[in-house]
Amino acid sequence: MVGSLLASAVSDPKCAVPDMVAYDEAQAILAAYMQNIPLLTTEFVSISQASGRVLAEDIRAVMPRPEADISAMDGYAFRCADMEKAGSVGLPLAGQIAAGDASPSLEKGVACSILTGARIPAGADCVVAQERTSITDGHVHLLEQNVRNGLNIRRSGEEFCKGDMLLEHGLKLDWRHLSILAHQGKEQVSVYKHPKVCVVANGAEFGATATDCRTELNTQLLAAMLQSEGVRVTRYVCGSDSMEALHKLLHQCAQEADILITTGGISVGQTDHVLHVLCQMGAKCLFRRVKMRPGKPMTVMQLGQKMVFCLPGNPGAAAICAQLFIIPFLRGFAGEKQEKKTSMPIEGQSSFAYVAAADTTSFLPVYSTENKGKNLITLVRSVGASDILCLTQATGLVRVSAGTSLQVGDMCQMIPFTA
Amino acid sequence: MVGSLLASAVSDPKCAVPDMVAYDEAQAILAAYMQNIPLLTTEFVSISQASGRVLAEDIRAVMPRPEADISAMDGYAFRCADMEKAGSVGLPLAGQIAAGDASPSLEKGVACSILTGARIPAGADCVVAQERTSITDGHVHLLEQNVRNGLNIRRSGEEFCKGDMLLEHGLKLDWRHLSILAHQGKEQVSVYKHPKVCVVANGAEFGATATDCRTELNTQLLAAMLQSEGVRVTRYVCGSDSMEALHKLLHQCAQEADILITTGGISVGQTDHVLHVLCQMGAKCLFRRVKMRPGKPMTVMQLGQKMVFCLPGNPGAAAICAQLFIIPFLRGFAGEKQEKKTSMPIEGQSSFAYVAAADTTSFLPVYSTENKGKNLITLVRSVGASDILCLTQATGLVRVSAGTSLQVGDMCQMIPFTA
């Protein structure tokens, strides 16, 4: 039938399709959903394998740091009162202590040489740095008189005490945390398992038999994006218009993955089967289409306990939707708490003007440059939702909310891309 | 001999030791050195393995994007002039084209249905979106009259043309670039090899026979930091005071690694053999001690063509020196150009005051929080160069240059930690 290529997703009676939502509403729906899903299960890994993983236990100090009173300097340890009493005669040198040595008691009226990190001998109450002393006839003399009790002594527990909370459950571990775990004698640590995601690209143009065959780009792009987040990704391409083939593939993915991602096949064309097939499989629609640009077709379904993110087929739009919706969701799903982050928004002055449509929130590819301590946010030319070159020239996105505008010189925030 | 634990590095006649340098001078010495060292060699990897690697070739477009004129919409393609002539009668529907289909010529006086991404049939000069049309008796009618030549047609090459420079040599590849490589039909790409680094911790307190045996933390911390930069790291601990053992170990490391890192053993104690041993091996000193806090003992040696970074033994100081000196060096060494970066400094308002000593540049652990579009930079309490807990509470460093001060409310820049 002529014109039959164009259908409407709402024509499927199986699928209750909610109205298009505003961008913030879509994010709120996802956030609310996040509250109720079970987190991933956990596993133990050796701490040398733990960087990049999300901690699934609280780490409280089982031993303090420093573990004992130790010297902060290479120098001489003695009793302040002894040195005061000795005056210009100085204190006779008796013994030496290096880090790793056992620490004997210090006899009265003597000094001992001590290296950084070595235990303070019982009886000593200060350390004077080598360069502030002179040695004559086996006696230590002070070049300056300002010694005091506790000088250059790192007290046991001054960094943290036994029982202190060191690392909290939900923390994404990196080099900063591994030395803490090593110090606490942890050989293994409990972390959340890596989530498993299947990415399914959909489009007859990717089929080997298509006359105008295209190279499929989305699964490559999304796999790299998610893998650098610690996600195990399997890529699939459904290069046919067959609903049966798509059904079979999505059913298999639902078996093997924690989360499904589809690209393409969610528009109004007759070959856009993704939502129909998911509805047939029993999925519910959380939202269908978002008032945003790019990314208007963005749809999220729930298939049993599993989330299905249905991304637009245009790779530029798919990438931006994945950055805005999927990455934050996956981080939460993987147990990560999102408090102090190193990837903060970057604030800067806009070098461009932009007016968002009344009902559409725009996300613009930008990069940030620094000049005299000020960040300048510059727009990258884009030809639209399909543009992938603009993403390579950008380092993040600026949001211009529906019905608002950005003027040259306005302060704005760049949401940095993930690596 | 009493007091013999304390010696001076300058006492070794083999080692010409330059004076302590200012922080910026140390960085300038390293940067100048970088100009003259050979980059790593290259290898080919499949593009699915290329994320995180540094591109060693320029990628110019061998095919444009889009490759042909294609539809940006699901809708109807026709000639504007035909539709104008037809007026309220509309144009009869004749045929349909989906993405992947061959594209026949469009007969005069008709319209065809077309899906997003499909090739524009020869003869058609515009596409009208489905929702702006109605279909009656097999004819397409416009709901609005604003059609024009080129409407909703993505022209061949509008994103980029054949011959355009797409990705330049020296770029660190991530998800943003892989779709470009895939589009260009690249299956393999030339990248720089991963650098190989040996990290050697030095200290008798790490030896199994030490009375006051300590857990060695630096190699764990540095290995995780460098591995997340794509570096292959081997960890070694020299847990003895034997110069022979240290010599043997450093000699072995110089054979296997591109770059050496040592921690500890560079102070004035008699057990601090690292610089002596490196001098014996023929290393030259690029700089010895830096006017910075923490990290004053920081020293860089050159052993043949290989760089040796000698870090302080205190793990807090070692980590900060590695962030400031080693990470930027390694990125350059690994071929990466440092232009547009996602990890820009984060500008914000200081919530604390700090006065740097007249001759010492301070690096303070801080974190950044956002409130009403403004970043606030907050100081993390630290007990000094040994502190590792403060790093877990910080997300970066603020520099306060020698002889300057920071006031509450001043704008400052946080250098974010690497992940």
Side-chain angles (χ1 to χ4, degrees):
Chain A
M1 182 195 149
V2 162
S4 62
L5 271 180
L6 297 169
S8 167
V10 294
S11 68
D12 188 333
K14 285 201 193 69
C15 214
V17 175
D19 285 344
M20 197 170 183
V21 293
Y23 174 76
D24 288 332
E25 194 183 341
Q27 290 286 14
I29 291 169
L30 265 185
Y33 179 83
M34 269 301 291
Q35 303 301 316
N36 299 314
I37 54 167
L39 289 178
L40 289 166
T41 54
T42 63
E43 62 186 337
F44 279 91
V45 295
S46 83
I47 70 160
S48 62
Q49 301 298 313
S51 187
R53 306 298 295 269
V54 178
L55 190 62
E57 58 177 319
D58 288 336
I59 306 290
R60 283 189 182 275
V62 293
M63 62 186 88
R65 183 173 159 85
E67 289 159 54
D69 292 356
I70 59 177
S71 177
M73 288 282 176
D74 293 334
Y76 300 94
F78 49 82
R79 285 176 191 80
C80 288
D82 288 352
M83 184 60 89
E84 197 173 340
K85 201 163 151 194
S88 62
V89 179
L91 293 175
L93 257 177
Q96 52 193 48
I97 312 167
D101 288 350
S103 179
S105 294
L106 189 73
E107 289 167 45
K108 285 204 171 177
V110 303
C112 74
S113 67
I114 191 164
L115 295 186
T116 305
R119 284 183 187 240
I120 302 293
D125 59 18
C126 79
V127 172
V128 171
Q130 182 202 18
E131 59 266 30
R132 299 185 195 278
T133 62
S134 69
I135 306 291
T136 323
D137 297 333
H139 280 61
V140 181
H141 304 270
L142 299 186
L143 299 181
E144 302 161 26
Q145 294 310 314
N146 51 351
V147 296
R148 57 177 170 74
N149 195 303
L151 184 69
N152 293 322
I153 295 177
R154 295 183 47 220
R155 294 292 180 194
S156 171
E158 71 171 23
E159 188 174 332
F160 51 80
C161 298
K162 191 173 167 179
D164 282 357
M165 175 65 80
L166 299 179
L167 306 175
E168 280 185 61
H169 172 269
L171 190 68
K172 187 166 185 178
L173 298 170
D174 61 38
W175 58 268
R176 298 174 300 152
H177 312 109
L178 295 198
S179 54
I180 298 277
L181 293 170
H183 179 265
Q184 292 297 306
K186 295 286 274 189
E187 288 176 0
Q188 295 213 311
V189 69
S190 174
V191 297
Y192 289 98
K193 285 187 179 166
H194 287 298
K196 176 91 200 291
V197 172
C198 287
V199 181
V200 180
N202 187 250
E205 68 271 31
F206 307 132
T209 59
T211 316
D212 179 24
C213 180
R214 310 280 173 84
T215 306
E216 191 282 309
L217 309 178
N218 282 323
T219 62
Q220 190 74 257
L221 183 159
L222 293 167
M225 185 191 288
L226 300 178
Q227 278 159 358
S228 69
E229 293 283 316
V231 173
R232 289 173 302 149
V233 181
T234 313
R235 298 158 54 195
Y236 294 101
V237 177
C238 184
S240 96
D241 283 343
S242 153
M243 283 183 77
E244 290 67 31
L246 184 62
H247 190 289
K248 195 175 161 196
L249 182 53
L250 289 177
H251 182 78
Q252 178 193 333
C253 292
Q255 303 302 310
E256 56 182 79
D258 299 307
I259 288 171
L260 274 65
I261 299 174
T262 67
T263 71
I266 55 170
S267 193
V268 295
Q270 201 195 30
T271 58
D272 292 323
H273 297 318
V274 170
L275 301 182
H276 294 267
V277 167
L278 285 166
C279 286
Q280 281 174 0
M281 290 167 69
K284 289 187 301 179
C285 195
L286 291 191
F287 55 83
R288 164 85 183 108
R289 303 207 301 160
V290 180
K291 293 172 185 169
M292 66 187 287
R293 176 176 303 141
K296 195 170 84 168
M298 175 77 199
T299 296
V300 174
M301 312 282 280
Q302 186 188 343
L303 182 61
Q305 286 266 43
K306 293 178 181 177
M307 203 64 128
V308 189
F309 290 89
C310 304
L311 300 180
N314 266 325
I320 287 172
C321 287
Q323 286 283 302
L324 296 170
F325 289 103
I326 299 179
I327 296 290
F329 181 87
L330 273 171
R331 288 180 179 171
F333 182 66
E336 192 178 346
K337 289 180 187 163
Q338 291 291 311
E339 285 129 26
K340 290 181 204 162
K341 294 293 299 173
T342 48
S343 62
M344 301 277 297
I346 290 172
E347 205 186 338
Q349 207 167 33
S350 173
S351 69
F352 62 97
Y354 187 86
V355 181
D359 63 348
T360 303
T361 294
S362 287
F363 291 91
L364 310 172
V366 295
Y367 63 89
S368 166
T369 46
E370 199 221 326
N371 184 22
K372 294 178 188 160
K374 299 281 177 196
N375 291 326
L376 193 71
I377 311 281
T378 303
L379 186 65
V380 172
R381 173 185 166 270
S382 165
V383 299
S386 65
D387 200 330
I388 49 176
L389 189 65
C390 71
L391 299 180
T392 71
Q393 296 157 347
T395 55
L397 300 170
V398 158
R399 169 187 174 150
V400 186
S401 296
T404 73
S405 66
L406 190 67
Q407 306 300 325
V408 174
D410 282 358
M411 291 306 284
C412 62
Q413 286 199 326
M414 179 177 90
I415 308 158
F417 288 137
T418 62
Chain B
M1 182 192 147
V2 162
S4 65
L5 270 178
L6 297 168
S8 167
V10 294
S11 68
D12 188 335
K14 286 202 191 68
C15 214
V17 174
D19 285 343
M20 197 170 182
V21 293
Y23 174 76
D24 288 333
E25 194 182 341
Q27 290 286 14
I29 291 169
L30 265 184
Y33 180 84
M34 271 301 291
Q35 303 300 315
N36 298 315
I37 54 167
L39 289 178
L40 289 166
T41 54
T42 63
E43 62 187 337
F44 279 90
V45 294
S46 84
I47 70 161
S48 62
Q49 302 298 313
S51 188
R53 305 299 296 268
V54 178
L55 190 62
E57 59 176 318
D58 288 336
I59 306 291
R60 284 189 180 274
V62 293
M63 61 185 86
R65 181 171 160 86
E67 290 160 53
D69 292 356
I70 60 178
S71 177
M73 287 282 176
D74 292 333
Y76 300 95
F78 50 81
R79 285 177 193 80
C80 289
D82 289 352
M83 184 61 88
E84 196 173 342
K85 200 163 152 191
S88 60
V89 179
L91 292 175
L93 257 177
Q96 51 194 49
I97 313 167
D101 289 351
S103 179
S105 294
L106 189 73
E107 289 168 44
K108 285 204 171 177
V110 302
C112 72
S113 67
I114 191 164
L115 294 187
T116 305
R119 283 184 187 240
I120 303 293
D125 59 20
C126 80
V127 172
V128 171
Q130 183 202 18
E131 58 267 30
R132 300 184 194 278
T133 61
S134 68
I135 306 292
T136 323
D137 298 334
H139 280 62
V140 181
H141 303 270
L142 299 187
L143 299 180
E144 301 160 26
Q145 295 309 311
N146 51 351
V147 296
R148 57 177 170 75
N149 194 302
L151 184 68
N152 294 321
I153 295 176
R154 295 183 47 219
R155 294 295 180 191
S156 170
E158 71 172 22
E159 189 174 333
F160 52 79
C161 299
K162 191 172 167 180
D164 282 357
M165 175 65 79
L166 299 179
L167 306 175
E168 280 185 60
H169 172 269
L171 191 68
K172 186 165 187 179
L173 298 171
D174 62 35
W175 58 268
R176 298 174 300 152
H177 312 109
L178 296 198
S179 55
I180 298 276
L181 294 170
H183 179 265
Q184 292 296 306
K186 295 286 274 190
E187 287 175 2
Q188 295 212 310
V189 69
S190 174
V191 297
Y192 288 99
K193 284 187 179 166
H194 287 297
K196 176 89 201 295
V197 172
C198 286
V199 181
V200 180
N202 188 248
E205 68 271 31
F206 308 131
T209 59
T211 316
D212 179 25
C213 182
R214 311 280 172 84
T215 307
E216 192 282 309
L217 310 178
N218 281 323
T219 61
Q220 190 74 258
L221 183 160
L222 293 167
M225 185 192 288
L226 299 178
Q227 278 159 357
S228 69
E229 293 283 316
V231 173
R232 289 172 301 151
V233 181
T234 312
R235 298 160 53 195
Y236 294 100
V237 178
C238 183
S240 97
D241 281 343
S242 152
M243 283 183 76
E244 291 66 32
L246 184 61
H247 189 287
K248 194 175 162 197
L249 183 52
L250 289 177
H251 183 78
Q252 178 194 333
C253 291
Q255 303 303 310
E256 54 183 79
D258 299 308
I259 288 171
L260 274 65
I261 298 174
T262 67
T263 71
I266 56 170
S267 195
V268 295
Q270 203 197 28
T271 58
D272 291 324
H273 296 321
V274 171
L275 301 181
H276 294 266
V277 168
L278 285 167
C279 285
Q280 281 174 359
M281 291 167 68
K284 288 187 303 179
C285 194
L286 292 191
F287 56 84
R288 165 86 182 106
R289 305 207 301 159
V290 180
K291 293 173 186 168
M292 65 186 288
R293 177 176 300 141
K296 194 170 85 168
M298 175 77 199
T299 296
V300 175
M301 312 281 280
Q302 185 188 342
L303 182 61
Q305 285 268 39
K306 292 178 182 178
M307 204 66 127
V308 188
F309 290 89
C310 303
L311 301 181
N314 267 325
I320 288 173
C321 287
Q323 286 283 303
L324 295 171
F325 289 103
I326 300 180
I327 297 290
F329 182 87
L330 273 171
R331 288 178 178 173
F333 183 66
E336 192 177 345
K337 288 180 187 162
Q338 291 290 313
E339 287 131 24
K340 290 180 204 164
K341 294 292 302 172
T342 49
S343 61
M344 299 279 296
I346 291 172
E347 206 187 335
Q349 209 167 30
S350 174
S351 70
F352 63 96
Y354 187 86
V355 180
D359 64 347
T360 303
T361 294
S362 288
F363 291 92
L364 310 172
V366 296
Y367 62 89
S368 167
T369 46
E370 200 220 324
N371 184 22
K372 293 178 186 158
K374 297 282 176 196
N375 291 328
L376 194 70
I377 310 283
T378 302
L379 186 65
V380 172
R381 172 185 166 271
S382 165
V383 298
S386 65
D387 200 330
I388 50 176
L389 189 65
C390 71
L391 299 180
T392 71
Q393 296 157 347
T395 55
L397 300 170
V398 159
R399 168 187 175 152
V400 186
S401 295
T404 72
S405 66
L406 191 66
Q407 306 301 325
V408 173
D410 281 358
M411 291 306 285
C412 63
Q413 287 199 327
M414 180 177 89
I415 308 158
F417 288 138
T418 61

